[in-house]
């Protein structure tokens, strides 16, 4: 098997286990699906053992241990019979379609519970210590929790819990730990009563089990042996039945409920997930209630001022053509998915309607009646009617065993059918009872469907005979014979029909918050007509242009670039317009012989970079942890400004050795051209009021006239003592420094906040885009975290950090700055990532969300003063940057890291990566010395070198001679 970070292992019902790679487009070996052996009852522990053993046998090379350590394993246990949620028994509840929630970005119209839940599981698994090899999860829950996870102790079994009231915890497993040591597991109880939980409350904390358990190799080994593993296989061909929670769980902890010496030898702990929300999707009612609760929760988050007085009416329609007007009171508790419901139907409430093909039936449903039409074979259908509260449990002949909301025997009696006639023993469990007829499309009529639901059915020998003589099947068998490919095809056809109206109503359904890349792929493949972006707010208009570009690019169209440029232009105008409205009137502020000297440090980013980039920061806010530093004892970015007699502007670059003279507004106004020299300085001059549209009055007819009134020309001289493509934020910091010098010489009174805003606008004027962390890092001294809130006005809030940890590393030589001699310009990288942001790419948004959260976590690390934790934080930053952009770490840079790996505790390329400067944290002083010697004597190229640096105590400094 090729090297992969995580292998995803799923226990699924038989039909889906077989078709999962094709239907979900998740191929092996990264993904592996398997069903429980026929007729087996493995229990939760036996099921885990079966999935792991089957995956090793199918995808592993070498021993089980070698396979276990080749990648971390995420186990999604979703192979149950789903007795209480029949609609999704065949695919498994983990693959039930999950509607796009209003206000939640990056969702797909065809997403499943797996798509929604997977990022959280991946976050937990990546956060776990390396010794924890597997995360076991449940397939019928939705868990939401904060991005910032607490430290996970390194144990054999780690349970992840959440705080709930005792009366809520009674339906689940519960972890107990002593109040003076809440992480150390004392004991575990399965579904204890509220009274029992309260009886322990004086001495113990309690956390409800979320179903997520992290297991070490030792814990997996013990579990396997409990299931009969002999070191190579299970002798009977399948694991012996064993319960993970009800047996293994009870033997865990320092005070186990059911002591077992071998299991008690496993170290165990429990950790509370922060800000956790738990939604159970185990039953038909829970499906509707949980999705409604999530939607109400999102309303309170995404709509300021929403009071909750109009909660969600529990009406959920997706992937469906639905022609009945819905009323809040009469049609509550409704789930319609992958179905056609014509106006000829009459419905009430508490319905789940799934899989129903095109029809014109005059059907009438009363409260609680549900219908699932299941495709079988190439053309046939199974009719599965049921009641929303049916449990599909118990003997068919028992009065307490209900089907269609009443005793099953009542349904038979109402239709004059005996169990003997039907060929079904009354002792048969309802889940196995052959109740559901498989019929042709012609036999699937409204009259036949109505016959199932009628309390007093019309005496129809034909319908009675049809049911008796049809091939009938039980609920359990449907999970094997269901043709899931036809389910997916029908769902896709429905999507084709409803997608245009969904786009047309985008102002009410948040279409432009969807994962527009995935939607564009679907749209392009279905050959649908492109919608015109009309009546949209400006940022949604940018998203609309990006969507059109993505569709055309997918179809191979020639003009997709036009729409992508329009998206970038729309965002650029949003940012720049605020600056243009606040025009300025530059007035001479120096004497003839005075020189303005502005100098700035460069910035080294430790965490959070990319979260400061529009449009992400405009929509979600950003957080970046960085430090301003001088190189070789000097601020490396310097700008000199002075007056000249001639009414012209002279621009000089010391490091480039070039000069330009500007005598007209036209010369300044070409800063947006790719061939313009000194574009950055010209854009700065424009923002300083030397272009009419940025001037407060626009009273001058020419630049010469304006400079004459100003009292002379201006000479600007720049020095950037940093190589191009360094990753130190040079361009933005130089922009801020030029603006600072101009603000001083022109008496504009710009403080660092104003320079921050103008630099952000300048970057947009140059069409290079970019975020705000570079100028914030150079404008402000020291080590700090910079945060902004969502909105067009990005106003940074800065909190400074103690410097002793970094200063100590500099004194000992353990923190090194190495110029790799490799350059890579950020503009192309930026364009690709910003494209993903415009398209609400779930992949991009999830990673940038994690990057932003990691900046806040790193802030805490620096306050704690732990060298090891700081190194871990830098490593995580580097890993996140590589996940966002694989080109961040090119082979030439990786070669440098490989050469120094025995000396390096952590390292990351600065900025967008791909080259430039490498920030290195050595393991100790001797490792730092040996690394410096190795790379100095044997550099990777002619310009690679170590560069000295120190933390800036000033940030941007401006003085007059």
């Amino acid at each position: 098997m090729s090297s992969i970070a995580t292998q995803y292992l799923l226990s699924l019902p038989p039909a889906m286990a077989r078709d999962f790679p094709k239907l979900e487009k998740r191929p092996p070996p990264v993904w592996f699906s398997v069903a429980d052996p026929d007729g087996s009852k493995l229990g939760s522990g036996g099921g885990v053992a079966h999935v792991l053993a089957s995956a090793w046998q199918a995808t592993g090379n070498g021993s089980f241990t070698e396979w276990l350590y080749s990648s971390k394993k995420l186990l999604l246990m979703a192979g149950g019979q789903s007795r209480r949620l029949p609609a999704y028994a065949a695919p498994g509840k983990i693959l039930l379609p999950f509607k796009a929630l209003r206000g939640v970005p990056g969702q797909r119209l065809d997403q499943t519970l797996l798509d929604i839940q997977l990022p959280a599981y991946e976050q937990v698994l990546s956060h776990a210590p390396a010794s924890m090899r597997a995360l076991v999860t449940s397939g019928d829950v939705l868990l939401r929790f904060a991005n910032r996870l607490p430290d996970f102790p390194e144990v054999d079994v780690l349970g992840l819990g959440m705080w709930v009231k005792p009366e809520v915890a009674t339906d689940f497993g519960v972890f107990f730990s002593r109040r003076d040591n809440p992480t150390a597991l004392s004991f575990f109880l399965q579904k204890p009563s509220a009274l029992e939980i309260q009886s322990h409350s004086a001495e113990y904390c309690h956390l409800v089990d979320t179903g997520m358990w992290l297991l070490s190799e030792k814990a997996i080994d013990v579990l396997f042996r409990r299931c009969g593993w002999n070191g190579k296989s299970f002798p009977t061909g399948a694991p012996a039945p064993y319960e993970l929670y009800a047996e293994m769980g009870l033997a865990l902890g320092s005070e186990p409920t059911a002591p077992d010496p071998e299991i008690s030898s496993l170290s165990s702990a429990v950790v509370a997930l922060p800000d956790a929300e738990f939604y159970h999707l185990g039953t038909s009612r829970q499906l509707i209630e949980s999705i409604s609760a999530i939607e109400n929760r999102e309303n309170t988050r995404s709509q300021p001022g929403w009071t909750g007085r109009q909660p969600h009416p529990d009406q959920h329609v997706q992937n469906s053509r639905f022609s009945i007007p819905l009323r809040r009171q009469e049609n509550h508790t409704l789930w319609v998915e992958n179905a056609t419901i014509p106006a000829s139907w009459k419905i009430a409430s508490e319905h789940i309607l799934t899989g129903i093909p095109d029809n014109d039936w005059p059907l009438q449903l009363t409260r609680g009646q549900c219908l699932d039409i299941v495709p079988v074979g190439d053309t046939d259908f199974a009719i599965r009617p049921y009641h929303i509260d049916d449990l599909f449990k118990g003997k068919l002949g028992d009065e307490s065993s209900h089907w269609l909301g009443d005793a099953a025997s009542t349904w038979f009696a109402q239709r004059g059918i005996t169990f003997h006639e039907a060929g079904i023993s009354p002792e048969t469990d309802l889940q196995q009872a052959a109740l559901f007829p498989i019929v042709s499309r012609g036999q699937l009529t409204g009259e036949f469907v109505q016959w199932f639901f009628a309390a007093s059915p019309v005496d129809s020998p034909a319908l009675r005979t049809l049911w008796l003589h049809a091939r009938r099947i039980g609920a359990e068998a449907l999970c094997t014979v269901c043709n899931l490919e036809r389910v997916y095809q029908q769902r896709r056809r429905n999507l084709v029909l409803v997608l245009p109206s969904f786009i047309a109503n985008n102002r009410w359904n948040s279409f432009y918050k969807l994962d527009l890349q995935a939607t564009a792929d679907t749209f392009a493949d279905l050959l649908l007509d492109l919608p015109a972006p009309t009546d949209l707010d400006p940022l949604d208009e940018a998203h609309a242009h990006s969507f059109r570009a993505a569709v055309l690019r997918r179809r191979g169209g020639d003009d997709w670039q036009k729409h992508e440029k329009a998206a970038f232009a729309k965002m650029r105008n949003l940012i720049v317009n605020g600056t243009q409205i606040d025009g300025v009137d530059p007035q001479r502020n120096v004497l003839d012989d005075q020189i303005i000297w502005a100098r700035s440090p460069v910035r080294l980013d430790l965490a959070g970079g990319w979260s400061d980039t529009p449009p992400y920061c405009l929509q979600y806010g950003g957080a970046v942890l960085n430090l301003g530093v001088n190189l070789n004892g000097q601020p490396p970015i310097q700008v000199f400004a002075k007056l000249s007699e001639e009414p012209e502007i002279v621009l000089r670059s010391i490091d480039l050795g070039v000069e330009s003279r500007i005598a007209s507004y036209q010369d300044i106004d070409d800063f947006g051209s790719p061939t313009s020299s000194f574009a950055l300085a010209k854009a700065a001059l424009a923002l300083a009021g030397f272009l009419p549209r940025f001037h407060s009055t626009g009273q001058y007819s020419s630049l010469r006239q304006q400079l004459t009134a100003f009292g002379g020309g201006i000479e600007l001289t720049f020095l950037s003592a940093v190589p191009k493509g360094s990753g130190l934020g040079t361009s933005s910091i130089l922009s801020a420094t030029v603006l600072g010098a101009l603000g001083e010489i022109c008496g504009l009174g710009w403080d660092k906040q104003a320079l921050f805003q103008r630099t952000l606008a300048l970057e947009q004027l140059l069409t290079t885009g970019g975020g705000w962390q570079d100028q914030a890092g150079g404008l402000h001294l020291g080590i700090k975290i910079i945060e902004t809130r969502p909105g067009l006005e990005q106003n940074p809030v800065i909190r400074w950090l103690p410097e002793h940890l970094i200063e100590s590393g500099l004194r000992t030589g353990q923190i090194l700055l190495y110029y790799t001699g490799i350059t890579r310009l950020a503009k192309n990288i930026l364009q690709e990532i910003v494209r993903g942001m415009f398209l609400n790419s779930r992949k991009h948004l999830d990673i940038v969300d994690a990057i932003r959260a990691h900046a806040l976590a790193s802030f805490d690390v620096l306050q704690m003063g732990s060298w090891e934790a700081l190194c871990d934080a830098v490593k995580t930053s580097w890993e996140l940057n590589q996940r966002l952009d694989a080109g961040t770490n090119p082979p030439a840079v990786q070669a440098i890291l490989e050469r120094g790996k025995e000396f390096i505790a952590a390292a990351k390329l600065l900025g967008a990566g791909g080259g430039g400067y490498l920030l290195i944290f050595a393991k100790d002083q001797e490792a730092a010395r040996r690394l410096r010697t190795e790379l100095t004597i044997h550099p990777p190229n002619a310009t690679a070198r170590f560069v000295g640096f120190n933390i800036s105590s000033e940030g941007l400094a401006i003085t007059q001679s």
Side-chain angles (χ1 to χ4, degrees), residues 169-188:
T170 57
D171 292 329
F172 305 96
V174 182
F175 299 105
F176 291 84
S177 56
R178 290 196 172 272
R179 291 190 172 276
D180 59 355
N181 192 4
T183 303
L185 178 64
S186 297
F187 57 92
F188 179 83

Side-chain angles (χ1 to χ4, degrees), residues 579-823:
T579 308
Q580 289 182 212
I581 293 168
D582 184 21
V584 294
D585 182 11
Q587 299 291 324
R588 173 175 167 165
N589 190 44
V590 294
L591 301 175
D592 289 345
D593 63 344
Q594 283 186 302
I595 296 176
I596 302 298
W597 179 26
R599 60 267 186 205
S600 297
V602 287
R603 67 97 187 96
L604 310 184
D605 55 301
L606 296 180
W610 292 115
S611 74
D612 63 306
T613 305
Y616 182 89
C617 63
L618 305 183
Q619 294 179 276
Y620 313 110
V624 178
L625 180 67
N626 68 26
L627 56 155
V629 301
N630 297 323
L631 301 183
N632 295 322
Q634 296 293 327
I637 307 296
Q638 304 200 18
V639 177
F640 303 89
K642 65 184 291 290
L643 297 178
S644 63
E645 293 183 6
E646 188 68 24
E648 65 178 4
I649 297 173
V650 180
L651 306 175
R652 297 188 185 93
S653 171
I654 295 175
D655 49 297
L656 297 178
V658 294
E659 178 180 304
S660 178
R661 293 179 180 269
I662 295 174
S664 69
Y665 287 141
Q666 289 77 11
D667 289 340
I668 293 177
D669 208 9
D670 73 344
F671 54 76
S673 170
T675 60
S676 174
S677 59
F678 288 102
L680 180 153
K682 292 177 181 179
L685 285 164
L687 290 171
F690 291 101
L691 205 58
R693 69 177 184 272
F694 293 96
H695 194 280
S696 58
T697 65
Q699 60 185 321
Y700 301 108
S701 60
S702 69
L703 179 61
R704 176 173 288 273
Q705 181 189 20
Q706 183 176 356
L707 290 173
T708 299
F710 185 77
I714 299 174
E715 294 183 11
L716 289 174
T717 303
F718 324 117
L719 169 64
S720 176
V722 184
K724 193 173 185 180
S726 66
L728 303 185
T730 310
S731 174
S732 295
I733 296 171
L734 178 58
S735 298
T737 311
V738 172
L739 285 168
L742 286 170
E744 186 69 19
I745 201 170
C746 297
L748 298 174
W750 287 340
D751 59 13
K752 290 184 177 181
Q753 170 66 15
L755 291 174
F756 172 93
Q757 299 287 359
R758 299 263 165 169
T759 305
L760 187 60
L762 188 150
E763 293 282 346
Q764 296 298 326
L765 286 173
L766 295 177
T767 72
T768 54
W772 45 250
Q773 78 135 323
D774 297 343
Q775 60 264 35
L779 285 168
H780 298 283
L781 59 84
I783 308 171
K784 63 273 185 187
I785 190 164
I786 311 118
E787 295 179 80
T788 63
R789 297 177 63 82
L792 289 177
E793 289 191 23
Q794 290 287 286
N795 297 312
V797 175
I798 302 174
R799 291 180 288 162
W800 276 267
L801 283 151
E803 299 177 359
H804 64 271
L805 191 59
I806 300 294
E807 290 283 13
S808 174
L810 291 173
R811 282 195 305 273
T812 61
Q814 284 179 254
I815 301 180
L816 303 161
L817 187 62
Y818 186 68
Y819 179 59
T820 63
I822 303 161
T823 60

Side-chain angles (χ1 to χ4, degrees), residues 356-420:
I356 300 163
D358 294 349
N359 70 90
D360 57 359
W361 306 333
L363 193 68
Q364 182 168 351
L365 299 179
T366 60
R367 181 175 177 174
Q369 292 180 337
C370 304
L371 179 62
D372 182 33
I373 304 296
V374 182
V376 176
D378 293 334
T379 57
D380 292 342
F381 295 89
I383 305 173
R384 172 162 44 189
Y386 61 100
H387 188 274
I388 195 169
D389 294 319
D390 284 351
L391 301 179
F392 284 96
K393 187 176 182 180
K395 295 178 181 179
L396 182 66
D398 289 353
E399 290 298 308
S400 59
S401 298
H402 284 198
W403 178 42
L404 286 164
D406 203 345
S409 57
T410 300
W411 185 90
F412 281 82
Q414 288 171 338
R415 285 150 187 80
I417 300 172
T418 66
F419 291 135
H420 178 73

